[in-house]
Amino acid sequence: MSNKQEFIDAVNSGKILARKCTKCGNLHLATVYFCQQCGHKEFESKLLDGIGTVATYTIITVPPAGFEKYTPYAWVVMNIDNYDLRISGFLGGIASPSNLPIGSKVKIVGYDDRGILLEKQ
C-alpha cells in the first residue's frame, strides 16, 4: 500500500498518519521524506487523533471550477490537539467569520476529491 493510500485510510477513520523521526523524535505529516529538524530519512508511523482547533482559515464564496456546489466553505488550517503539528482541510457551510471563530474545535471526518474533510465539534 502506498504512503498516500495509508494517509487517506487514516483520514477516513478520523485519524492522521504522522511520521516520527527515529533520530530526533520530531513529528511530521506523512507527506515528508526527510526530517525537517535534523535531515534524517527514517521514520516510524504514528496515528494521531484528528481533533484540533482552528488556527486560521479563508472563506471561499467564489470557488475554483468543479467546487461550485460546495460554496460557501472554509479552507481551514487546524492545530492538532496535543502536538505541534498543523493540517489543512475543507469545512463546508461556512458563510462568514461568525460561523467559525478562531479556536473553534474541529475534527477530521473523511477524505474525498476536495481533500481532508473537517466538521465543527
Side-chain angles (χ1 to χ4, degrees):
M1 182 182 307
S2 72
N3 280 348
K4 181 178 180 183
Q5 190 57 52
E6 284 182 82
F7 183 82
I8 290 169
D9 289 348
V11 167
N12 278 328
S13 67
K15 304 279 187 184
I16 299 165
L17 179 61
R19 300 177 83 187
K20 184 177 179 180
C21 177
T22 58
K23 183 175 180 185
C24 74
N26 199 29
L27 200 60
H28 306 75
L29 294 178
T31 54
V32 301
Y33 297 100
F34 62 91
C35 178
Q36 296 170 339
Q37 186 77 27
C38 72
H40 196 64
K41 292 183 179 178
E42 293 182 29
F43 300 92
E44 59 185 40
S45 292
K46 184 168 176 69
L47 273 180
L48 311 178
D49 287 331
I51 299 170
T53 56
V54 173
T56 190
Y57 61 91
T58 188
I59 296 173
I60 308 299
T61 56
V62 180
F67 287 76
E68 296 87 357
K69 67 183 177 185
Y70 301 119
T71 56
Y73 64 90
W75 187 252
V76 175
V77 175
M78 69 181 271
N79 294 314
I80 300 165
D81 283 356
N82 306 312
Y83 297 96
D84 185 21
L85 204 57
R86 289 181 168 183
I87 197 164
S88 56
F90 181 97
L91 182 57
I94 304 299
S96 77
S98 63
N99 299 127
L100 191 66
I102 298 296
S104 295
K105 294 294 283 181
V106 290
K107 70 177 181 175
I108 292 174
V109 294
Y111 187 94
D112 70 10
D113 61 332
R114 297 168 283 183
I116 294 171
L117 304 177
L118 306 173
E119 78 178 23
K120 284 173 61 174
Q121 292 277 225

